[in-house]
Each structure stands twice: as structure tokens, then as C-alpha cells.
Amino acid sequence: MKIEIWSDVKCPWCYVGKRRFEKALADFPHRDSVEVTWKSYQLDPGLPDHYDGTEQQYLAERKGIAPEQVRQMWQHLGQQAAGEGLNFDFDRIVVGNSFTAHRFLHLAKSHGRGDAAKEAIMSAHFEQGLDTSDVDVLVSLGTGIGLDEDEIRETVGGDRFADDVRRDIEEARTLGVQGVPFFVVDRKYGISGAQPTELFRQALDQAWQESHPLVSLTPSADGPACGPDGC
């Protein structure tokens, strides 16, 4: 079973959704037969690499969200994140374009380290207040999960994997994705948002049952058997 997840590294609900999905997958009896692929998405592709302002200023100036509304939103998000074992620090978030981070994630994916890189970069952004567009930060994150420093610097310093990021984004448009996180199961089921763990588990069970239907080997259903009303 294949699951594709479109998300942006700057999206807090994407991190919460990642945790909830992981909990559902950990409890899924066929988890070893599930292939998870992370896909790139940008919520604000027009952002500069480094935005000159805080997260609150960014939301006020570019999204038109009042400061008090921002604080209420952060409080709710923080509570939801804490419930999943995450410790968001919105006051320390470094605002900037996520395109470079997505290219870094594609590099990690090419070495089979996509999930580890996704976790490292989202924690760096939301919990540690690190600049995930900075080359040295990405080198530190990448070498920490086993990537080569020279390859990271070469990738981040050029435009390697840029087309891969754009293809992911275009594919999302084709599928009608309008927000993230967005989960696609076997290109048949779409799940929008950071849904509860129970819903993810139900989706996994349903998709598995439909792709692996039980085939009866008996010619008739009338063989001797016991049921609720007796034998």
C-alpha cells in the first residue's frame, strides 16, 4: 500500500498531522507493507528566503490576521501539538521561503532518509527556532541523519531537485489539493488535514481490506459451522 503526503515544512498542522498519522501507522498490523512518500508543497511561494520580521508580523502583514487572533490561533495549535508530544515555540520561528528546504528533503529522500529529514527539519523550524533556509543549519541537520556534507552544500548552493519540488506542487494542483497536510492512499482515497489518529487508522484498514479482499476457497457457504444462534 502506498501513501503520499503533501505538506509544507512551514505548516504547523502538517507536523501535528505527521504525528497523528505515525501513531495510526504504528498500530497498523500491515505497517511493514506500507510505503510512505513525502511530497513538497508551498503555502506561500512568494516569500523571500529570509523574511525581515517575526512570525506574528508575517501573519499580520501578508495574511491580514490581527495580533490577538494570531495569539489565539497559536494557543490552540500549541495545545494540539503538545497533545502529540510536540513543543511549538512560535515566538522563535524564523520566517522564510521553504523551497530550499524542500530541495534538501528531496536529497534526503534520494538516499532513503526522507522521513528522518522531514522530522529533523520540522522540529528545527517549530521547536528549535532554526533557519531552515540556512546552508549551515541544513548541513547540521543532514549530517545528523547520515547525509554527506559536501553533497548537501552542493545541492543547497545550486538548483538540484528544483524540478522535483515543482513537479510535486503541480501534481498537487492536478489532484485538487487546496491545503496541507493532504494524504493520498493508493491514489484512491484522499484525507485532508491533521485528522484524529482514529480516522487515519480507519482509512488504513479500509484501504487494506479493499486492496486485499478475502477470497473464499469453499464452494458453498452451507458447510457445517457454528454461529450466534448455535451449531
Side-chain angles (χ1 to χ4, degrees):
M1 189 159 67
K2 183 175 182 179
I3 300 177
E4 299 161 288
I5 309 172
W6 273 265
S7 71
D8 193 351
V9 299
K10 309 288 186 176
C11 161
W13 282 117
C14 291
Y15 202 5
V16 174
K18 181 178 185 294
R19 274 293 183 275
R20 291 175 177 174
F21 170 75
E22 288 169 342
K23 288 182 179 179
L25 186 61
D27 193 41
F28 185 55
H30 310 289
R31 57 186 174 275
D32 292 338
S33 298
V34 177
E35 176 189 350
V36 178
T37 301
W38 292 98
K39 298 278 194 171
S40 299
Y41 190 90
Q42 282 198 288
L43 292 169
D44 191 349
L47 260 177
D49 287 341
H50 298 90
Y51 175 80
D52 187 18
T54 65
E55 177 78 353
Q56 182 169 310
Q57 290 171 329
Y58 161 73
L59 292 171
E61 294 172 6
R62 294 182 69 98
K63 303 296 183 180
I65 305 176
E68 180 58 33
Q69 187 179 351
V70 169
R71 287 293 170 181
Q72 292 174 357
M73 180 177 67
W74 284 356
Q75 182 179 14
H76 175 66
L77 264 168
Q79 291 171 347
Q80 295 294 311
E84 306 303 331
L86 302 173
N87 184 27
F88 285 2
D89 190 344
F90 291 103
D91 290 321
R92 295 175 61 199
I93 284 179
V94 178
V95 185
N97 194 292
S98 62
F99 197 83
T100 297
H102 282 299
R103 291 196 298 111
F104 166 80
L105 291 173
H106 272 277
L107 168 64
K109 185 164 66 172
S110 73
H111 289 283
R113 305 297 294 160
D115 192 73
K118 189 76 171 181
E119 178 65 30
I121 206 166
M122 295 190 91
S123 176
H125 181 70
F126 287 108
E127 298 182 305
Q128 303 169 47
L130 299 177
D131 183 356
T132 55
S133 296
D134 182 81
V135 176
D136 290 331
V137 169
L138 293 175
V139 165
S140 177
L141 297 178
T143 54
I145 60 171
L147 300 182
D148 177 73
E149 177 177 346
D150 291 339
E151 188 176 16
I152 297 170
R153 291 190 181 278
E154 179 183 355
T155 298
V156 175
D159 63 353
R160 189 182 179 195
F161 296 112
D163 288 341
D164 298 82
V165 176
R166 296 188 185 102
R167 274 194 294 268
D168 281 355
I169 295 171
E170 181 57 34
E171 193 173 17
R173 293 195 188 100
T174 301
L175 291 172
V177 177
Q178 297 182 343
V180 287
F182 195 86
F183 303 75
V184 176
V185 183
D186 281 342
R187 286 299 170 110
K188 187 175 183 180
Y189 297 103
I191 304 171
S192 178
Q195 298 290 343
T197 296
E198 294 76 16
L199 188 145
F200 284 123
R201 177 56 197 274
Q202 291 170 10
L204 290 171
D205 288 338
Q206 182 175 343
W208 183 267
Q209 290 169 8
E210 292 193 6
S211 61
H212 299 79
L214 183 65
V215 178
S216 177
L217 298 179
T218 56
S220 170
D222 297 329
C226 292
D229 298 325
C231 298

